[in-house]
Amino acid sequence: ESTTFAVRVAPLGSTGQVLVLAEDQTERRRVEAVRRDFVANVSHELKTPVGALSLLAETIQDAADDHEAVTRFAGRMQHEAARLTYLVQDLITLSRIQGGETVPTPGPVPIDEAVHEAIDRCNTKASAKDITLVAGGAEGLKIWGDDELLVTALRNLIDNAVAYSPEHTRVVVSARPAGRSVEVSVSDQGIGIPESAQERIFERFFRVDAARSRATGGTGLGLAIVKHVAVAHGGEVTVWSKEGSGSTFTLRLPAFGGTAVAEPRTTSPL
Ligand code: ADP
């Protein structure tokens, strides 16, 4: 990796001396490159369903007399439109939390309610694959944070667990107190993640297997959202996984009541 410096030289009044300013721009360059990549990725991800939609619309025009074909292509248009909707929704969510990296209106959030709401929203997909969603350990535990963001993060983790698991398996969502934090984990018996990819899966649009991810309807933004939800709460998300046996994602978030810690101070202690 190269390091970039911006150097400025300015005369110091009429002293005959000069001031030399060297600014390390490596980080700024890196941030710019990440941003450029992101825009390129978003454009690419948007182009694919939009291209498919216009092609399908053309095909329908050509096949106007063929009722069966029109119905079939209209169904595929709906599918592509849904993909576009998910992508835009995820982009909005991501830009909302990424901005300040703080939780806008934190409060005490009962974990069991958030877990149940997240499970409810994933139930249809899970039952389609005969995957049992099990919850446990969350009773009485509360975090200090944003209930909607917590449900969003859990839903993304459970959605993935279901998407990357074979039929007739179990996904377990469990919570436990951990000092000043609460840990919520989502475990599956799915395909697992190769060790070399485990660090990168939280990057926006990174996929271990692009074809499989698209087939499952994934936007490639789910884990980036989970990570930013964790960071905005001052917490973290970690992964344990073994290829062929399954994965466990653990969200560690600041505790409220119920565990060792009281409400964080909102005013300065001084
Ligand atoms: P996607 O929309 O592709 O699922 P995510 O950001 O949610 O995007 O996940 C990134 C990648 O991490 C996925 O494409 C997949 O390869 C991998 N992944 C995420 N969760 C799991 C899991 N529970 N089991 C196996 N692989 C997973």
Short mmCIF file of all heavy atoms in Angstrom, two decimals, residues 27-85:
data_model
loop_
_atom_site.label_atom_id
_atom_site.label_comp_id
_atom_site.label_asym_id
_atom_site.label_seq_id
_atom_site.Cartn_x
_atom_site.Cartn_y
_atom_site.Cartn_z
N GLU A 27 -5.80 8.15 4.14
CA GLU A 27 -7.14 7.80 4.62
C GLU A 27 -8.21 8.46 3.74
O GLU A 27 -9.18 7.83 3.37
CB GLU A 27 -7.29 8.22 6.08
CG GLU A 27 -8.67 7.98 6.69
CD GLU A 27 -9.12 6.51 6.65
OE1 GLU A 27 -8.26 5.62 6.42
OE2 GLU A 27 -10.32 6.26 6.82
N ARG A 28 -7.97 9.75 3.39
CA ARG A 28 -8.95 10.45 2.57
C ARG A 28 -9.09 9.77 1.20
O ARG A 28 -10.18 9.59 0.69
CB ARG A 28 -8.53 11.91 2.38
CG ARG A 28 -9.65 12.81 1.89
CD ARG A 28 -9.22 14.26 1.86
NE ARG A 28 -8.11 14.50 0.95
CZ ARG A 28 -8.26 14.77 -0.35
NH1 ARG A 28 -9.46 14.85 -0.85
NH2 ARG A 28 -7.21 14.97 -1.11
N ARG A 29 -7.95 9.38 0.63
CA ARG A 29 -7.95 8.66 -0.65
C ARG A 29 -8.74 7.36 -0.55
O ARG A 29 -9.49 7.00 -1.44
CB ARG A 29 -6.52 8.32 -1.06
CG ARG A 29 -5.76 9.51 -1.54
CD ARG A 29 -5.69 9.42 -3.04
NE ARG A 29 -5.03 10.59 -3.57
CZ ARG A 29 -4.13 10.52 -4.53
NH1 ARG A 29 -3.80 9.36 -5.03
NH2 ARG A 29 -3.59 11.60 -4.99
N ARG A 30 -8.52 6.66 0.58
CA ARG A 30 -9.17 5.37 0.77
C ARG A 30 -10.69 5.57 0.84
O ARG A 30 -11.46 4.88 0.19
CB ARG A 30 -8.67 4.70 2.05
CG ARG A 30 -8.98 3.21 2.13
CD ARG A 30 -8.74 2.68 3.53
NE ARG A 30 -9.57 3.34 4.52
CZ ARG A 30 -10.84 3.05 4.74
NH1 ARG A 30 -11.43 2.10 4.07
NH2 ARG A 30 -11.52 3.72 5.65
N VAL A 31 -11.12 6.59 1.63
CA VAL A 31 -12.55 6.87 1.78
C VAL A 31 -13.15 7.22 0.42
O VAL A 31 -14.24 6.76 0.07
CB VAL A 31 -12.77 8.01 2.81
CG1 VAL A 31 -14.20 8.49 2.79
CG2 VAL A 31 -12.37 7.54 4.21
N GLU A 32 -12.41 8.02 -0.37
CA GLU A 32 -12.92 8.39 -1.70
C GLU A 32 -13.07 7.17 -2.59
O GLU A 32 -14.05 7.03 -3.31
CB GLU A 32 -11.96 9.38 -2.37
CG GLU A 32 -12.34 10.82 -2.08
CD GLU A 32 -11.27 11.78 -2.57
OE1 GLU A 32 -10.43 11.38 -3.41
OE2 GLU A 32 -11.28 12.92 -2.09
N ALA A 33 -12.09 6.26 -2.52
CA ALA A 33 -12.14 5.06 -3.35
C ALA A 33 -13.33 4.19 -2.95
O ALA A 33 -14.04 3.66 -3.81
CB ALA A 33 -10.84 4.27 -3.22
N VAL A 34 -13.56 4.07 -1.63
CA VAL A 34 -14.69 3.28 -1.15
C VAL A 34 -16.00 3.88 -1.66
O VAL A 34 -16.89 3.17 -2.12
CB VAL A 34 -14.69 3.20 0.40
CG1 VAL A 34 -16.01 2.65 0.92
CG2 VAL A 34 -13.52 2.35 0.89
N ARG A 35 -16.08 5.21 -1.62
CA ARG A 35 -17.30 5.88 -2.07
C ARG A 35 -17.53 5.66 -3.57
O ARG A 35 -18.63 5.36 -4.02
CB ARG A 35 -17.23 7.38 -1.74
CG ARG A 35 -18.53 8.10 -2.02
CD ARG A 35 -18.49 9.52 -1.53
NE ARG A 35 -18.20 9.60 -0.11
CZ ARG A 35 -17.46 10.55 0.45
NH1 ARG A 35 -16.92 11.49 -0.28
NH2 ARG A 35 -17.25 10.55 1.74
N ARG A 36 -16.44 5.78 -4.35
CA ARG A 36 -16.56 5.56 -5.80
C ARG A 36 -17.02 4.13 -6.09
O ARG A 36 -17.91 3.92 -6.89
CB ARG A 36 -15.21 5.81 -6.47
CG ARG A 36 -15.08 7.16 -7.11
CD ARG A 36 -13.94 7.18 -8.13
NE ARG A 36 -12.73 6.56 -7.65
CZ ARG A 36 -11.78 7.18 -6.96
NH1 ARG A 36 -11.92 8.45 -6.67
NH2 ARG A 36 -10.71 6.54 -6.56
N ASP A 37 -16.41 3.18 -5.39
CA ASP A 37 -16.80 1.77 -5.57
C ASP A 37 -18.27 1.58 -5.25
O ASP A 37 -18.98 0.87 -5.93
CB ASP A 37 -16.02 0.88 -4.58
CG ASP A 37 -14.64 0.56 -5.13
OD1 ASP A 37 -14.34 1.03 -6.23
OD2 ASP A 37 -13.89 -0.14 -4.43
N PHE A 38 -18.70 2.23 -4.16
CA PHE A 38 -20.08 2.07 -3.72
C PHE A 38 -21.05 2.58 -4.78
O PHE A 38 -22.00 1.90 -5.15
CB PHE A 38 -20.30 2.81 -2.39
CG PHE A 38 -21.70 2.70 -1.87
CD1 PHE A 38 -22.23 1.45 -1.56
CD2 PHE A 38 -22.48 3.82 -1.69
CE1 PHE A 38 -23.52 1.33 -1.08
CE2 PHE A 38 -23.78 3.71 -1.21
CZ PHE A 38 -24.29 2.47 -0.90
N VAL A 39 -20.77 3.77 -5.31
CA VAL A 39 -21.64 4.33 -6.34
C VAL A 39 -21.66 3.42 -7.57
O VAL A 39 -22.71 3.15 -8.14
CB VAL A 39 -21.20 5.77 -6.70
CG1 VAL A 39 -21.99 6.30 -7.89
CG2 VAL A 39 -21.39 6.69 -5.51
N ALA A 40 -20.48 2.91 -7.95
CA ALA A 40 -20.41 2.01 -9.10
C ALA A 40 -21.23 0.75 -8.83
O ALA A 40 -21.98 0.28 -9.69
CB ALA A 40 -18.95 1.64 -9.39
N ASN A 41 -21.11 0.22 -7.61
CA ASN A 41 -21.87 -0.98 -7.25
C ASN A 41 -23.37 -0.75 -7.26
O ASN A 41 -24.13 -1.55 -7.79
CB ASN A 41 -21.47 -1.46 -5.84
CG ASN A 41 -20.19 -2.26 -5.87
OD1 ASN A 41 -19.90 -2.93 -6.85
ND2 ASN A 41 -19.44 -2.20 -4.80
N VAL A 42 -23.79 0.39 -6.68
CA VAL A 42 -25.22 0.69 -6.65
C VAL A 42 -25.75 0.79 -8.07
O VAL A 42 -26.79 0.22 -8.40
CB VAL A 42 -25.50 2.02 -5.88
CG1 VAL A 42 -26.94 2.46 -6.07
CG2 VAL A 42 -25.20 1.85 -4.40
N SER A 43 -24.99 1.50 -8.94
CA SER A 43 -25.46 1.67 -10.32
C SER A 43 -25.62 0.31 -10.98
O SER A 43 -26.62 0.05 -11.65
CB SER A 43 -24.47 2.50 -11.12
OG SER A 43 -24.04 3.58 -10.35
N HIS A 44 -24.63 -0.56 -10.74
CA HIS A 44 -24.69 -1.88 -11.34
C HIS A 44 -25.89 -2.67 -10.81
O HIS A 44 -26.63 -3.28 -11.58
CB HIS A 44 -23.39 -2.63 -11.06
CG HIS A 44 -23.41 -4.03 -11.56
ND1 HIS A 44 -23.22 -4.34 -12.89
CD2 HIS A 44 -23.63 -5.19 -10.92
CE1 HIS A 44 -23.33 -5.64 -13.04
NE2 HIS A 44 -23.58 -6.19 -11.85
N GLU A 45 -26.08 -2.62 -9.49
CA GLU A 45 -27.18 -3.38 -8.88
C GLU A 45 -28.54 -2.87 -9.35
O GLU A 45 -29.50 -3.62 -9.43
CB GLU A 45 -27.11 -3.29 -7.35
CG GLU A 45 -25.85 -3.89 -6.75
CD GLU A 45 -25.81 -5.42 -6.79
OE1 GLU A 45 -26.89 -6.03 -6.87
OE2 GLU A 45 -24.71 -5.98 -6.75
N LEU A 46 -28.63 -1.56 -9.64
CA LEU A 46 -29.90 -1.00 -10.12
C LEU A 46 -30.12 -1.34 -11.59
O LEU A 46 -31.24 -1.59 -12.02
CB LEU A 46 -29.91 0.52 -9.95
CG LEU A 46 -30.03 1.06 -8.52
CD1 LEU A 46 -29.80 2.56 -8.50
CD2 LEU A 46 -31.42 0.75 -7.94
N LYS A 47 -29.02 -1.37 -12.34
CA LYS A 47 -29.13 -1.60 -13.78
C LYS A 47 -29.69 -2.98 -14.10
O LYS A 47 -30.44 -3.14 -15.05
CB LYS A 47 -27.75 -1.47 -14.43
CG LYS A 47 -27.61 -0.20 -15.25
CD LYS A 47 -26.19 0.07 -15.61
CE LYS A 47 -25.73 -0.66 -16.86
NZ LYS A 47 -24.31 -0.29 -17.16
N THR A 48 -29.31 -3.96 -13.28
CA THR A 48 -29.72 -5.33 -13.59
C THR A 48 -31.25 -5.49 -13.59
O THR A 48 -31.81 -5.88 -14.62
CB THR A 48 -29.03 -6.32 -12.64
OG1 THR A 48 -27.64 -5.97 -12.57
CG2 THR A 48 -29.18 -7.75 -13.10
N PRO A 49 -31.94 -5.17 -12.49
CA PRO A 49 -33.40 -5.32 -12.53
C PRO A 49 -34.09 -4.36 -13.50
O PRO A 49 -35.08 -4.72 -14.14
CB PRO A 49 -33.86 -5.06 -11.09
CG PRO A 49 -32.72 -4.46 -10.39
CD PRO A 49 -31.48 -4.79 -11.14
N VAL A 50 -33.54 -3.15 -13.65
CA VAL A 50 -34.16 -2.20 -14.58
C VAL A 50 -34.06 -2.73 -16.01
O VAL A 50 -35.02 -2.67 -16.78
CB VAL A 50 -33.53 -0.78 -14.45
CG1 VAL A 50 -33.98 0.13 -15.58
CG2 VAL A 50 -33.89 -0.16 -13.11
N GLY A 51 -32.90 -3.27 -16.35
CA GLY A 51 -32.70 -3.87 -17.68
C GLY A 51 -33.68 -5.01 -17.91
O GLY A 51 -34.31 -5.11 -18.97
N ALA A 52 -33.80 -5.86 -16.89
CA ALA A 52 -34.72 -7.00 -17.00
C ALA A 52 -36.15 -6.52 -17.18
O ALA A 52 -36.90 -7.04 -18.02
CB ALA A 52 -34.62 -7.88 -15.75
N LEU A 53 -36.53 -5.48 -16.44
CA LEU A 53 -37.89 -4.95 -16.55
C LEU A 53 -38.19 -4.44 -17.94
O LEU A 53 -39.26 -4.73 -18.51
CB LEU A 53 -38.10 -3.82 -15.53
CG LEU A 53 -38.47 -4.25 -14.11
CD1 LEU A 53 -38.45 -3.06 -13.16
CD2 LEU A 53 -39.86 -4.91 -14.09
N SER A 54 -37.25 -3.71 -18.54
CA SER A 54 -37.58 -3.14 -19.85
C SER A 54 -37.62 -4.24 -20.90
O SER A 54 -38.46 -4.22 -21.81
CB SER A 54 -36.63 -2.00 -20.22
OG SER A 54 -35.38 -2.51 -20.53
N LEU A 55 -36.75 -5.25 -20.74
CA LEU A 55 -36.77 -6.37 -21.67
C LEU A 55 -38.10 -7.14 -21.56
O LEU A 55 -38.71 -7.51 -22.56
CB LEU A 55 -35.61 -7.31 -21.32
CG LEU A 55 -35.06 -8.15 -22.46
CD1 LEU A 55 -34.43 -7.27 -23.52
CD2 LEU A 55 -34.03 -9.14 -21.91
N LEU A 56 -38.54 -7.35 -20.33
CA LEU A 56 -39.80 -8.07 -20.11
C LEU A 56 -40.98 -7.29 -20.67
O LEU A 56 -41.90 -7.86 -21.26
CB LEU A 56 -40.00 -8.34 -18.62
CG LEU A 56 -39.13 -9.47 -18.05
CD1 LEU A 56 -39.04 -9.39 -16.53
CD2 LEU A 56 -39.68 -10.83 -18.48
N ALA A 57 -40.94 -5.96 -20.50
CA ALA A 57 -42.04 -5.13 -21.03
C ALA A 57 -42.11 -5.25 -22.55
O ALA A 57 -43.19 -5.40 -23.13
CB ALA A 57 -41.84 -3.68 -20.61
N GLU A 58 -40.93 -5.22 -23.19
CA GLU A 58 -40.87 -5.38 -24.65
C GLU A 58 -41.43 -6.74 -25.07
O GLU A 58 -42.21 -6.84 -26.01
CB GLU A 58 -39.41 -5.33 -25.11
CG GLU A 58 -38.99 -4.03 -25.72
CD GLU A 58 -37.50 -4.09 -26.08
OE1 GLU A 58 -37.09 -5.00 -26.81
OE2 GLU A 58 -36.76 -3.22 -25.57
N THR A 59 -41.01 -7.76 -24.34
CA THR A 59 -41.45 -9.12 -24.67
C THR A 59 -42.97 -9.22 -24.56
O THR A 59 -43.62 -9.86 -25.40
CB THR A 59 -40.80 -10.14 -23.71
OG1 THR A 59 -39.42 -9.81 -23.60
CG2 THR A 59 -40.95 -11.55 -24.23
N ILE A 60 -43.53 -8.58 -23.52
CA ILE A 60 -44.98 -8.63 -23.35
C ILE A 60 -45.68 -7.95 -24.53
O ILE A 60 -46.67 -8.45 -25.06
CB ILE A 60 -45.39 -7.97 -22.01
CG1 ILE A 60 -45.05 -8.93 -20.86
CG2 ILE A 60 -46.88 -7.63 -21.99
CD1 ILE A 60 -45.48 -8.46 -19.51
N GLN A 61 -45.11 -6.83 -24.97
CA GLN A 61 -45.69 -6.14 -26.12
C GLN A 61 -45.75 -7.05 -27.34
O GLN A 61 -46.74 -7.12 -28.05
CB GLN A 61 -44.86 -4.90 -26.46
CG GLN A 61 -45.48 -3.64 -25.94
CD GLN A 61 -44.60 -2.43 -26.20
OE1 GLN A 61 -43.42 -2.56 -26.53
NE2 GLN A 61 -45.19 -1.27 -26.06
N ASP A 62 -44.64 -7.77 -27.55
CA ASP A 62 -44.56 -8.66 -28.71
C ASP A 62 -45.49 -9.86 -28.59
O ASP A 62 -45.92 -10.42 -29.59
CB ASP A 62 -43.11 -9.17 -28.89
CG ASP A 62 -42.19 -8.04 -29.29
OD1 ASP A 62 -42.71 -6.99 -29.72
OD2 ASP A 62 -40.96 -8.19 -29.13
N ALA A 63 -45.75 -10.27 -27.32
CA ALA A 63 -46.53 -11.49 -27.12
C ALA A 63 -47.96 -11.18 -26.67
O ALA A 63 -48.60 -12.00 -26.02
CB ALA A 63 -45.83 -12.37 -26.09
N ALA A 64 -48.44 -9.98 -27.03
CA ALA A 64 -49.71 -9.50 -26.50
C ALA A 64 -50.87 -10.49 -26.66
O ALA A 64 -51.78 -10.54 -25.84
CB ALA A 64 -50.07 -8.17 -27.15
N ASP A 65 -50.84 -11.32 -27.74
CA ASP A 65 -51.96 -12.23 -27.98
C ASP A 65 -51.85 -13.52 -27.17
O ASP A 65 -52.82 -14.25 -27.02
CB ASP A 65 -52.02 -12.61 -29.47
CG ASP A 65 -52.13 -11.36 -30.33
OD1 ASP A 65 -52.71 -10.37 -29.83
OD2 ASP A 65 -51.64 -11.37 -31.48
N ASP A 66 -50.65 -13.77 -26.69
CA ASP A 66 -50.42 -15.03 -25.97
C ASP A 66 -50.67 -14.82 -24.47
O ASP A 66 -49.81 -14.37 -23.73
CB ASP A 66 -48.98 -15.48 -26.24
CG ASP A 66 -48.69 -16.84 -25.62
OD1 ASP A 66 -49.50 -17.30 -24.78
OD2 ASP A 66 -47.64 -17.42 -25.96
N HIS A 67 -51.89 -15.17 -24.05
CA HIS A 67 -52.30 -14.91 -22.67
C HIS A 67 -51.37 -15.53 -21.64
O HIS A 67 -51.00 -14.90 -20.66
CB HIS A 67 -53.71 -15.45 -22.46
CG HIS A 67 -54.69 -14.36 -22.22
ND1 HIS A 67 -54.86 -13.32 -23.09
CD2 HIS A 67 -55.52 -14.14 -21.18
CE1 HIS A 67 -55.76 -12.49 -22.62
NE2 HIS A 67 -56.19 -12.97 -21.45
N GLU A 68 -51.04 -16.78 -21.91
CA GLU A 68 -50.21 -17.53 -20.95
C GLU A 68 -48.85 -16.86 -20.79
O GLU A 68 -48.35 -16.69 -19.68
CB GLU A 68 -50.09 -18.98 -21.44
CG GLU A 68 -49.48 -19.93 -20.45
CD GLU A 68 -47.97 -20.05 -20.67
OE1 GLU A 68 -47.51 -19.85 -21.82
OE2 GLU A 68 -47.28 -20.31 -19.67
N ALA A 69 -48.26 -16.44 -21.93
CA ALA A 69 -46.94 -15.80 -21.89
C ALA A 69 -47.02 -14.46 -21.16
O ALA A 69 -46.14 -14.13 -20.36
CB ALA A 69 -46.42 -15.61 -23.31
N VAL A 70 -48.08 -13.70 -21.43
CA VAL A 70 -48.23 -12.40 -20.78
C VAL A 70 -48.27 -12.57 -19.27
O VAL A 70 -47.59 -11.85 -18.52
CB VAL A 70 -49.49 -11.67 -21.30
CG1 VAL A 70 -49.82 -10.45 -20.43
CG2 VAL A 70 -49.32 -11.25 -22.75
N THR A 71 -49.04 -13.55 -18.80
CA THR A 71 -49.14 -13.79 -17.35
C THR A 71 -47.77 -14.15 -16.77
O THR A 71 -47.37 -13.65 -15.72
CB THR A 71 -50.13 -14.94 -17.07
OG1 THR A 71 -51.29 -14.71 -17.85
CG2 THR A 71 -50.49 -15.01 -15.61
N ARG A 72 -47.05 -15.01 -17.48
CA ARG A 72 -45.76 -15.47 -16.99
C ARG A 72 -44.75 -14.31 -16.90
O ARG A 72 -44.10 -14.11 -15.90
CB ARG A 72 -45.23 -16.57 -17.91
CG ARG A 72 -43.99 -17.27 -17.43
CD ARG A 72 -43.92 -18.69 -18.00
NE ARG A 72 -44.33 -18.74 -19.40
CZ ARG A 72 -43.48 -18.58 -20.43
NH1 ARG A 72 -42.21 -18.39 -20.20
NH2 ARG A 72 -43.91 -18.65 -21.67
N PHE A 73 -44.70 -13.50 -17.99
CA PHE A 73 -43.74 -12.39 -18.00
C PHE A 73 -44.13 -11.31 -16.99
O PHE A 73 -43.27 -10.67 -16.39
CB PHE A 73 -43.59 -11.82 -19.40
CG PHE A 73 -42.89 -12.78 -20.34
CD1 PHE A 73 -43.42 -13.08 -21.59
CD2 PHE A 73 -41.70 -13.38 -19.96
CE1 PHE A 73 -42.77 -13.96 -22.44
CE2 PHE A 73 -41.04 -14.26 -20.81
CZ PHE A 73 -41.58 -14.56 -22.05
N ALA A 74 -45.44 -11.12 -16.81
CA ALA A 74 -45.88 -10.12 -15.82
C ALA A 74 -45.45 -10.55 -14.43
O ALA A 74 -45.03 -9.73 -13.61
CB ALA A 74 -47.40 -9.96 -15.89
N GLY A 75 -45.51 -11.85 -14.16
CA GLY A 75 -45.05 -12.38 -12.88
C GLY A 75 -43.58 -12.10 -12.67
O GLY A 75 -43.16 -11.69 -11.59
N ARG A 76 -42.80 -12.27 -13.74
CA ARG A 76 -41.36 -12.01 -13.61
C ARG A 76 -41.08 -10.52 -13.43
O ARG A 76 -40.14 -10.12 -12.75
CB ARG A 76 -40.61 -12.57 -14.82
CG ARG A 76 -40.52 -14.10 -14.72
CD ARG A 76 -39.73 -14.69 -15.84
NE ARG A 76 -38.43 -14.06 -16.05
CZ ARG A 76 -37.66 -14.29 -17.11
NH1 ARG A 76 -38.06 -15.13 -18.04
NH2 ARG A 76 -36.50 -13.68 -17.24
N MET A 77 -41.95 -9.70 -14.05
CA MET A 77 -41.79 -8.25 -13.85
C MET A 77 -42.02 -7.89 -12.38
O MET A 77 -41.31 -7.08 -11.81
CB MET A 77 -42.76 -7.47 -14.75
CG MET A 77 -42.34 -7.45 -16.20
SD MET A 77 -43.43 -6.44 -17.22
CE MET A 77 -42.78 -4.80 -16.90
N GLN A 78 -43.04 -8.54 -11.80
CA GLN A 78 -43.32 -8.29 -10.39
C GLN A 78 -42.12 -8.67 -9.53
O GLN A 78 -41.74 -7.96 -8.59
CB GLN A 78 -44.52 -9.12 -9.94
CG GLN A 78 -45.79 -8.30 -9.84
CD GLN A 78 -47.02 -9.17 -9.74
OE1 GLN A 78 -46.93 -10.40 -9.72
NE2 GLN A 78 -48.15 -8.52 -9.68
N HIS A 79 -41.50 -9.79 -9.88
CA HIS A 79 -40.35 -10.27 -9.14
C HIS A 79 -39.18 -9.27 -9.21
O HIS A 79 -38.56 -8.95 -8.20
CB HIS A 79 -39.94 -11.64 -9.73
CG HIS A 79 -38.73 -12.22 -9.11
ND1 HIS A 79 -38.78 -12.90 -7.91
CD2 HIS A 79 -37.44 -12.23 -9.52
CE1 HIS A 79 -37.55 -13.29 -7.60
NE2 HIS A 79 -36.73 -12.91 -8.56
N GLU A 80 -38.92 -8.76 -10.42
CA GLU A 80 -37.84 -7.79 -10.59
C GLU A 80 -38.15 -6.48 -9.87
O GLU A 80 -37.27 -5.84 -9.30
CB GLU A 80 -37.57 -7.52 -12.08
CG GLU A 80 -37.04 -8.71 -12.86
CD GLU A 80 -35.68 -9.20 -12.36
OE1 GLU A 80 -34.91 -8.39 -11.80
OE2 GLU A 80 -35.40 -10.40 -12.53
N ALA A 81 -39.43 -6.08 -9.94
CA ALA A 81 -39.83 -4.83 -9.27
C ALA A 81 -39.65 -4.98 -7.77
O ALA A 81 -39.20 -4.04 -7.09
CB ALA A 81 -41.28 -4.48 -9.60
N ALA A 82 -39.95 -6.18 -7.23
CA ALA A 82 -39.78 -6.41 -5.79
C ALA A 82 -38.31 -6.30 -5.42
O ALA A 82 -37.95 -5.70 -4.41
CB ALA A 82 -40.33 -7.78 -5.42
N ARG A 83 -37.44 -6.85 -6.27
CA ARG A 83 -36.01 -6.79 -6.01
C ARG A 83 -35.51 -5.35 -5.94
O ARG A 83 -34.73 -4.98 -5.08
CB ARG A 83 -35.28 -7.50 -7.15
CG ARG A 83 -34.39 -8.60 -6.67
CD ARG A 83 -33.77 -9.27 -7.84
NE ARG A 83 -32.51 -8.65 -8.21
CZ ARG A 83 -31.75 -9.11 -9.19
NH1 ARG A 83 -32.14 -10.15 -9.89
NH2 ARG A 83 -30.62 -8.53 -9.48
N LEU A 84 -36.04 -4.57 -6.89
CA LEU A 84 -35.68 -3.16 -6.94
C LEU A 84 -36.13 -2.46 -5.65
O LEU A 84 -35.42 -1.65 -5.07
CB LEU A 84 -36.37 -2.56 -8.16
CG LEU A 84 -35.71 -1.44 -8.93
CD1 LEU A 84 -34.26 -1.74 -9.21
CD2 LEU A 84 -36.47 -1.22 -10.23
N THR A 85 -37.35 -2.80 -5.21
CA THR A 85 -37.89 -2.20 -4.00
C THR A 85 -37.02 -2.54 -2.79
O THR A 85 -36.68 -1.66 -1.99
CB THR A 85 -39.33 -2.69 -3.75
OG1 THR A 85 -40.07 -2.50 -4.95
CG2 THR A 85 -39.99 -1.93 -2.62
#
